[in-house]
Amino acid sequence: IIEYIEVKSTVEKQSALIELSRTQWELAKTLHIDHKGYKYNLTVVLGSGSGEARLVQLIDPLNSWFKGEMVTQAVQFRVSI
């Protein structure tokens, strides 16, 4: 596989909260840990359907997160005994 491309869209034009599934985040994490994060491309379409759509691309979103370029909202954790 050359590249994984995940595309999300929103009608918001400036910024938006985008949800990734656990599977999507785990894949991005695995590729980042394996030094292959450049293979995960998260593309967000802002202003979808407005005629003024813009693309925002995050290559290796975990790296963007670690560098503070991306902000996350609440994260859920499962605790088991």
Side-chain angles (χ1 to χ4, degrees):
I1 296 177
I2 297 171
E3 183 177 22
Y4 297 88
I5 301 172
E6 182 63 42
V7 179
K8 303 289 184 174
S9 65
T10 179
V11 296
E12 299 295 327
K13 293 182 179 180
Q14 297 298 317
S15 67
L17 293 174
I18 302 299
E19 186 173 321
L20 289 180
S21 70
R22 176 180 176 188
T23 302
Q24 293 163 343
W25 188 252
E26 289 294 324
L27 176 58
K29 183 176 84 172
T30 299
L31 290 170
H32 179 80
I33 290 170
D34 291 344
H35 304 285
K36 296 179 182 176
Y38 61 90
K39 289 187 171 192
Y40 196 95
N41 176 342
L42 174 59
T43 300
V44 180
V45 181
L46 292 173
S48 179
S50 70
E52 300 175 13
R54 294 182 307 141
L55 298 180
V56 177
Q57 289 188 308
L58 293 169
I59 309 298
D60 191 359
L62 255 75
N63 190 46
S64 297
W65 181 61
F66 285 128
K67 290 170 35 180
E69 298 171 353
M70 184 171 71
V71 177
T72 57
Q73 291 291 76
V75 177
Q76 296 177 332
F77 294 92
R78 181 177 305 279
V79 178
S80 302
I81 55 173

